[in-house]
Amino acid sequence: RYLKGLGLDVYVVAVGSSDPQDKANWIKNHIEKGYNDILFLDDSPKNVNAVRKLKQKYPNIKMDARVVNYD
C-alpha cells in the first residue's frame, strides 16, 4: 500500500531474515544477474546501510537506498 501511494508499481520481496547482510546479499545476487537499477526502501537504518555499501563494489549501477517511515 505504501509504495502504491507513492505511485510505484513494484514487487516486494520478503527475504525471510532480519539480518541486514542477508538483505544486501539478496540484492548483490541480483546485481550479478544483471540488474542495474535498484530502489531499496526499508524502515531500518541498519538494512539501508548494508545495501548502500554495495554501491562501492558496483559503482556503475543506479541505486537508491532510503530509510522510510511506513506510517
Side-chain angles (χ1 to χ4, degrees), residues 37-61:
D37 190 353
I38 297 163
L39 173 62
F40 180 78
L41 305 173
D42 201 293
D43 61 350
S44 167
K46 289 180 184 179
N47 294 341
V48 171
N49 288 334
V51 170
R52 282 181 179 160
K53 288 180 184 177
L54 292 171
K55 186 69 173 159
Q56 295 169 5
K57 185 172 180 178
Y58 302 98
N60 295 325
I61 63 168

Side-chain angles (χ1 to χ4, degrees), residues 4-62:
K4 287 192 188 265
L6 295 176
L8 299 173
D9 184 21
V10 298
Y11 70 100
V12 177
V13 175
V15 175
S17 169
S18 61
D19 183 339
Q21 192 57 51
D22 288 343
K23 296 170 191 291
N25 287 340
W26 190 91
I27 291 174
K28 176 182 172 270
N29 289 337
H30 282 75
I31 292 169
E32 291 176 354
K33 289 178 184 177
Y35 288 77
N36 62 8
D37 190 353
I38 297 163
L39 173 62
F40 180 78
L41 305 173
D42 201 293
D43 61 350
S44 167
K46 289 180 184 179
N47 294 341
V48 171
N49 288 334
V51 170
R52 282 181 179 160
K53 288 180 184 177
L54 292 171
K55 186 69 173 159
Q56 295 169 5
K57 185 172 180 178
Y58 302 98
N60 295 325
I61 63 168
K62 180 181 174 186

